[in-house]
Amino acid sequence: MATTSDLNRVTSIVLRYMRGPILSLVVVYGVGITGMSLIPGQDPHGNPAPMSLFHSFYFFTYTATTTGFGEIPQAFTDQQRLWAILCLYMGVIAWLYAIGSIIQLVQNPHFIIAMAERRFASTVKSLNEPFVIICGFGDTGSLLARGLSDNDICAVVIDSDPERIKALMLRDYRAKMPGLCGDASVPKHLVDAGIQQPLCRAIISLIPNEELELKIAVMARFLNPNIRIICCASEAIQQDHLRHLESVTIIDPFEFFGIQLRTAITAPNLHSLSQWFVGDHTVNLSCPKEIPAGNWIICGYGRMGRRLRKQLNAHGISTVIIDPELDDSELEVSERVSLGIRSLASHRALERAGIVDAAGLVAGTDSDSQNLQILLSASVLNPGIFRVVRQNHHENEVVFQSAQVNLTMQPSLLTARTILLQLISPMAQQLLAHLRDGDPALTDQLVLRLHDALEGCSPHLWVTTLNTVQASAVQEQIERGSVLRLEDLIKSPAERSHRLACVPLALKRDGQPVMLPSTQEIIRPGDEILFCGNEHSRRLLGANLNNPYTLHYLITGLEPPRGVLLRKVWNYWQHRPVRKDAGAA
């Protein structure tokens, strides 16, 4: 229906602009051809020779376009030449009028928008693989699109800023990323984006406007009751409104960062592992960052400052707050807040807060320049202090990297990584929660196992479902009655005594997750397995699961022949009758 509507809209615009030019051309051609056929002519012998309609049409066609091939089928009379002059002027004027109207049509903004929407809807309709819808292509949307492309996941982008859509078209993504310049809260645009298509997996709203984001979530729930909705919201009121909708995942980057900071203090290995999973390539698993647990100074008591103070106080760490708009009534709630300074985070204010003896500093204002200024003052007053900084704009990444801080909180990057991890596999989040609530030794063992398996390579998470599509050879072996274990799948096809550079992290069977399954676990059809490895091991694992000859070698250590004749000999040899030797001892 959307494509038909776009077609009708384009047709109406074309007819509106081209109705006059087309009628003018029809009238000019009709009058010119009719007149040329009616005017009497004569052949070289002086006999009457009127032109046929076909010759008149042919002559008028090249005359009206000023091409001029000569007089056919014989020389014209003076009356015919006079009519040809009139036809020439009429044709040129009509064609200039038509060409001008065509130029106005292609420059008309409504026509451009209608054509863009039609092409967008057709492109989305032609997608033959799962995709997600991203509403908003700012810093977060751009980073998320890059992460989805790196994991070969298609995305459909909607943004109201035409410059952002132009930037989208210039990116070199590995997966298809069609984009539409429009309002994502308009139902028609969501339908064109494929929200009702079976291959649409989720819609992600990254629009900072609370009213529009809530409207998008409501529209998406009505258009597709089964679709997954992910929204980025850091305000409590906005989160309350979104929670009333069914199956809506709310991403609060400041709350996530507060939990990460607390995890970094209480469980450094788990913090490094979680950062490593979401694509932070600067993390060193063998050497996690140790965060001091003394007094901390928080500069900026906004959304980030409040959440960090909550997490630090929960761990028993006292905090000093510096903010020019600080409300003293907010500090009476907690007994662990020893001081609140209503001032800018200046050199003098940092001294009053006791930065010389402080263990950590948080530069968490909503201004990148002010946060950098705080870092400069802190480096002078206490060069060894643990520094945490908030980076508000992704374009300033080069400057913040040069600052060499201990932890950088970039809301757009953190949100993109969190959403990407949930899209790739929700089991990864369940695994981190399992490790957070379990024995710390379990995290240490997993970190050591991943470090030895990947040998410093960048991690790559993926989920494999044991079905006829993703694991046809496994399905065939199980149907034959073979018992396969998890370790059989991750053997190297070059040498079965070696393992691939991947580790099974979780297994989901009948809706129940099994965290850190044993390699001796017997696999069954329909199992979903979360792996962590490199890109090369992923390709080899795919070959193990779908190549029956490779899988047979991994299970038995024997390589069966692949030719027809050799296979018959092999089957005969495997099932040959064993002769009993009567004289054997």
Side-chain angles (χ1 to χ4, degrees), residues 301 306 309 326-334 342:
Y301 200 56
R306 286 179 172 84
R309 165 180 166 253
L326 182 63
D327 187 1
D328 293 338
S329 62
E330 298 184 29
L331 305 181
E332 298 174 358
V333 182
S334 176
R342 187 183 297 108

Side-chain angles (χ1 to χ4, degrees), residues 292 294-297 318 320 350 353-361 382 384-386:
N295 297 330
W296 279 63
I297 300 175
S318 59
V320 179
L350 291 174
I355 190 173
V356 177
D357 300 324
L361 170 74
N382 187 351
I385 194 171
F386 193 91

Side-chain angles (χ1 to χ4, degrees), residues 282-559:
T282 63
V283 174
N284 187 356
L285 288 180
S286 60
C287 185
K289 293 180 179 179
E290 297 289 341
I291 297 183
N295 297 330
W296 279 63
I297 300 175
I298 300 178
C299 302
Y301 200 56
R303 294 173 295 176
M304 176 177 172
R306 286 179 172 84
R307 288 164 175 78
L308 291 186
R309 165 180 166 253
K310 176 183 176 181
Q311 297 295 334
L312 291 173
N313 290 346
H315 190 59
I317 298 176
S318 59
T319 56
V320 179
I321 300 171
I322 303 177
D323 192 287
E325 300 178 358
L326 182 63
D327 187 1
D328 293 338
S329 62
E330 298 184 29
L331 305 181
E332 298 174 358
V333 182
S334 176
E335 299 178 355
R336 297 190 181 280
V337 178
S338 59
L339 184 62
I341 301 176
R342 187 183 297 108
S343 169
L344 292 173
S346 60
H347 203 84
R348 181 177 300 179
L350 291 174
E351 289 180 336
R352 286 179 54 194
I355 190 173
V356 177
D357 300 324
L361 170 74
V362 178
T365 70
D366 56 2
S367 172
D368 283 350
S369 59
Q370 188 174 352
N371 290 337
L372 292 172
Q373 183 180 354
I374 295 172
L375 293 178
L376 288 176
S377 300
S379 61
V380 174
L381 298 174
N382 187 351
I385 194 171
F386 193 91
R387 297 175 297 171
V388 179
V389 66
R390 171 182 172 182
Q391 177 186 338
N392 297 281
H393 301 287
H394 183 67
E395 59 189 11
N396 298 327
E397 184 176 4
V398 177
V399 181
F400 281 89
Q401 287 180 350
S402 302
Q404 297 181 352
V405 296
N406 300 98
L407 279 179
T408 301
M409 193 282 174
Q410 186 178 345
S412 57
L413 182 60
L414 179 60
T415 303
R417 286 176 172 174
T418 304
I419 295 174
L420 180 62
L421 189 62
Q422 293 196 3
L423 291 176
I424 294 175
S425 174
M427 285 191 291
Q429 296 283 4
Q430 298 174 357
L431 173 64
L432 294 176
H434 173 75
L435 295 175
R436 188 179 297 112
D437 300 335
D439 189 354
L442 199 62
T443 304
D444 298 339
Q445 295 173 4
L446 178 59
V447 169
L448 182 61
R449 187 179 172 188
L450 289 172
H451 183 269
D452 294 340
L454 271 70
E455 298 179 351
C457 297
S458 299
H460 192 82
L461 294 175
W462 72 92
V463 176
T464 298
T465 304
L466 302 183
N467 52 26
T468 55
V469 177
Q470 301 185 28
S472 57
V474 174
Q475 190 82 4
E476 182 181 348
Q477 285 288 343
I478 295 178
E479 290 176 355
R480 291 179 178 178
S482 300
V483 177
L484 300 183
R485 304 183 186 275
L486 195 55
E487 66 173 356
D488 296 327
L489 307 182
I490 59 176
K491 293 178 180 179
S492 173
E495 177 52 57
R496 64 189 297 269
S497 61
H498 300 160
R499 288 187 176 180
L500 298 176
C502 65
V503 176
L505 299 179
L507 185 146
K508 189 174 183 180
R509 178 179 297 161
D510 299 330
Q512 299 298 323
V514 178
M515 299 301 153
L516 301 177
S518 171
T519 55
Q520 299 300 316
E521 179 78 24
I522 299 176
I523 59 176
R524 301 175 185 174
D527 287 351
E528 298 180 19
I529 307 173
L530 173 64
F531 289 98
C532 178
N534 53 34
E535 187 66 28
H536 181 63
S537 64
R538 179 180 183 178
R539 291 193 295 268
L540 292 179
L541 179 64
N544 293 350
L545 300 179
N546 293 281
N547 192 319
Y549 298 100
T550 302
L551 186 61
H552 185 275
Y553 164 72
L554 297 179
I555 298 173
T556 63
L558 302 175
E559 298 187 28

Side-chain angles (χ1 to χ4, degrees), residues 181-368:
C181 180
D183 185 359
S185 62
V186 177
K188 174 183 175 300
H189 293 164
L190 293 178
V191 174
D192 288 347
I195 192 172
Q196 295 179 327
Q197 294 186 19
L199 293 176
C200 185
R201 294 291 180 260
I203 178 171
I204 305 161
S205 178
L206 303 175
I207 298 178
N209 189 302
E210 300 178 8
E211 183 179 354
L212 286 180
E213 189 168 47
L214 180 60
K215 184 179 178 181
I216 291 172
V218 173
M219 295 293 180
R221 179 55 65 221
F222 277 106
L223 292 173
N224 189 344
N226 300 320
I227 196 171
R228 183 180 182 185
I229 303 175
I230 301 177
C231 296
C232 178
S234 56
E235 298 292 345
I237 299 178
Q238 186 180 6
Q239 293 180 4
D240 291 339
H241 290 161
L242 291 172
R243 286 193 182 98
H244 289 87
L245 300 177
E246 185 180 356
S247 303
V248 176
T249 303
I250 302 175
I251 304 297
D252 185 349
F254 301 104
E255 185 69 26
F256 271 91
F257 186 72
I259 296 175
Q260 285 184 7
L261 184 61
R262 181 181 178 182
T263 305
I265 297 174
T266 58
N269 273 342
L270 180 58
H271 173 260
S272 298
L273 184 63
S274 63
Q275 293 297 100
W276 195 62
F277 278 164
V278 297
D280 189 352
H281 299 161
T282 63
V283 174
N284 187 356
L285 288 180
S286 60
C287 185
K289 293 180 179 179
E290 297 289 341
I291 297 183
N295 297 330
W296 279 63
I297 300 175
I298 300 178
C299 302
Y301 200 56
R303 294 173 295 176
M304 176 177 172
R306 286 179 172 84
R307 288 164 175 78
L308 291 186
R309 165 180 166 253
K310 176 183 176 181
Q311 297 295 334
L312 291 173
N313 290 346
H315 190 59
I317 298 176
S318 59
T319 56
V320 179
I321 300 171
I322 303 177
D323 192 287
E325 300 178 358
L326 182 63
D327 187 1
D328 293 338
S329 62
E330 298 184 29
L331 305 181
E332 298 174 358
V333 182
S334 176
E335 299 178 355
R336 297 190 181 280
V337 178
S338 59
L339 184 62
I341 301 176
R342 187 183 297 108
S343 169
L344 292 173
S346 60
H347 203 84
R348 181 177 300 179
L350 291 174
E351 289 180 336
R352 286 179 54 194
I355 190 173
V356 177
D357 300 324
L361 170 74
V362 178
T365 70
D366 56 2
S367 172
D368 283 350

